[in-house]
Amino acid sequence: NAGVTQTPKFQVLKTGQSMTLQCAQDMNHEYMSWYRQDPGMGLRLIHYSVGAGITDQGEVPNGYNVSRSTTEDFPLRLLSAAPSQTSVYFCASSRSGTGDPHEQYFGPGTRLTVT
Amino acid sequence: ILNVEQSPQSLHVQEGDSTNFTCSFPSSNFYALHWYRWETAKSPEALFVMTLNGDEKKKGRISATLNTKEGYSYLYIKGSQPEDSATYLCAPLGGKLIFGQGTELSVKP
């Protein structure tokens, strides 16, 4: 199993550009989520999904969209990049969703810089 | 949204010292408490997932306890080693997984 994969590993965008960060998992996990890592802020939840066709907002959803058309994929879209979105983005998945305490598996991260 | 607090924010210890950190969280709407270990330039990795009040879990020199009634969990490291240097994150699961800011541990040889 490849586990949780993320592409790209690095990306530089100009303010106003849009892009999609890809996340895929091959473990048949129902629960997937996106986090961003900022200095002194730990990991902050952007959006999450408890299964195909179901998404919900986390702590910092503004400026990001997600969709979950398949169990395997959970892309994160930046609609109009801003310097405040410069961060490292982690995708994670786990076996089940709400109320089920299974551990999360994290992808390797995408380092995004917005100039 | 759950308000998760971890203390201390950072900790510097000598090799061989034992240490512990705290994770505080609201005790309502609680399903589980996760602990993760996060080394620099790597991805977080799960240490423990605890669900029951009074739970104690152990992995090698690292152990954790859980008090769901008062809303806290302790992580203990016995005989710290330089390879234990990392950020330790806790995350209570109450519908969604929200992380604390972490405790950054540095162990000097």
Side-chain angles (χ1 to χ4, degrees):
Chain A
N1 286 353
V4 181
T5 58
Q6 290 182 238
T7 55
K9 288 187 177 179
F10 303 95
Q11 182 70 50
V12 179
L13 290 178
K14 293 186 177 178
T15 298
Q17 286 184 316
S18 62
M19 81 158 293
T20 299
L21 306 186
Q22 301 292 343
C23 173
Q25 51 88 11
D26 61 359
M27 298 174 280
N28 201 31
H29 284 173
E30 291 188 17
Y31 186 91
M32 296 185 74
S33 52
W34 277 102
Y35 294 89
R36 57 178 288 174
Q37 175 207 357
D38 300 300
M41 305 291 287
L43 287 172
R44 291 187 292 170
L45 181 65
I46 305 172
H47 285 285
Y48 67 102
S49 168
V50 298
I54 307 169
T55 64
D56 206 346
Q57 296 181 348
E59 301 170 275
V60 288
N62 292 341
Y64 307 95
N65 272 358
V66 291
S67 59
R68 185 91 182 272
S69 55
T70 67
T71 300
E72 294 79 20
D73 301 298
F74 191 42
L76 178 72
R77 296 184 188 84
L78 279 69
L79 309 172
S80 177
S84 60
Q85 293 178 305
T86 293
S87 188
V88 181
Y89 291 84
F90 286 96
C91 179
S93 73
S94 66
R95 259 166 46 187
S96 299
T98 304
D100 205 311
H102 294 290
E103 65 186 72
Q104 297 227 12
Y105 294 83
F106 284 83
T110 294
R111 185 174 293 275
L112 176 68
T113 302
V114 183
T115 61
Chain B
I1 293 180
L2 296 177
N3 187 22
V4 187
E5 294 187 3
Q6 290 189 246
S7 62
Q9 280 193 319
S10 64
L11 199 53
H12 299 267
V13 302
Q14 291 293 132
E15 181 175 356
D17 288 349
S18 292
T19 186
N20 64 84
F21 343 123
T22 305
C23 172
S24 301
F25 53 90
S27 53
S28 59
N29 194 31
F30 173 86
Y31 292 109
L33 192 285
H34 292 223
W35 278 102
Y36 289 81
R37 182 171 180 273
W38 192 8
E39 292 182 70
T40 302
K42 293 187 177 180
S43 303
E45 292 183 346
L47 281 173
F48 305 114
V49 178
M50 297 185 287
T51 56
L52 298 176
N53 185 44
D55 250 358
E56 290 189 31
K57 295 219 172 175
K58 188 174 181 181
K59 186 181 288 188
R61 294 178 291 98
I62 305 176
S63 60
T65 61
L66 177 65
N67 184 321
T68 60
K69 292 183 179 178
E70 297 182 37
Y72 65 84
S73 176
Y74 293 137
L75 188 80
Y76 302 91
I77 302 179
K78 185 178 178 182
S80 302
Q81 299 297 308
E83 57 265 30
D84 295 329
S85 297
T87 296
Y88 292 83
L89 299 167
C90 75
L93 176 63
K96 50 194 170 187
L97 202 63
I98 302 292
F99 283 87
Q101 292 185 0
T103 293
E104 187 177 354
L105 174 67
S106 174
V107 183
K108 293 185 179 179

